[in-house]
Amino acid sequence: MALSLTRTKNEDLIRAHDPRTSRAELVDLAAHGKADVRAAVAARLDCPLATMLSLAHESDPRVLEALASNPNAPRSVLERLVSHKRESIGVLAQRRLRTARMYA
């Protein structure tokens, strides 16, 4: 499903938070022009794996912090974020990796 050109950013943000939003639409929303919409997708527990991998290449810290905080972010994404130049992102990812090892 392609993003509607008639929807507002606020409507897209609502869709990104809505648990009824399909995974296919989440993929579309992950490419949104507004970082807060992409961050909302990155934070979702049901964010598709390929979308998480794509979002790991983001430059906006809000998106990366949301991704690093996502309990379902895979180890490969967290390992990429550990070495991020923004310390807060690296610390979040490192904390998540340590926590994941405790429960592994």
Side-chain angles (χ1 to χ4, degrees):
M1 172 189 296
L3 292 176
S4 169
L5 296 177
T6 59
R7 283 199 326 230
T8 67
K9 178 198 125 191
N10 191 44
E11 290 171 320
D12 287 337
L13 186 57
I14 290 167
R15 294 295 304 149
H17 285 289
D18 187 344
R20 297 170 298 184
T21 299
S22 71
R23 291 170 61 90
E25 189 171 1
L26 289 177
V27 171
D28 287 341
L29 289 167
H32 198 278
K34 299 294 183 180
D36 53 345
V37 174
R38 297 190 311 273
V41 173
R44 287 184 58 131
L45 297 177
D46 62 344
C47 183
L49 176 60
T51 301
M52 285 190 201
L53 294 170
S54 176
L55 289 170
H57 296 278
E58 267 282 340
S59 60
D60 192 287
R62 294 170 291 179
V63 176
L64 296 175
E65 287 174 0
L67 188 57
S69 298
N70 186 326
N72 288 339
R75 178 174 296 281
S76 60
V77 167
L78 295 173
E79 288 172 347
R80 175 177 174 73
L81 297 178
V82 163
S83 60
H84 194 274
K85 64 184 176 185
R86 184 175 284 249
E87 185 179 358
S88 62
I89 294 167
V91 167
L92 276 171
Q94 191 171 34
R95 188 177 308 136
R96 289 282 333 292
L97 282 170
R98 276 197 308 269
T99 303
R101 275 191 274 252
M102 286 177 29
Y103 296 107

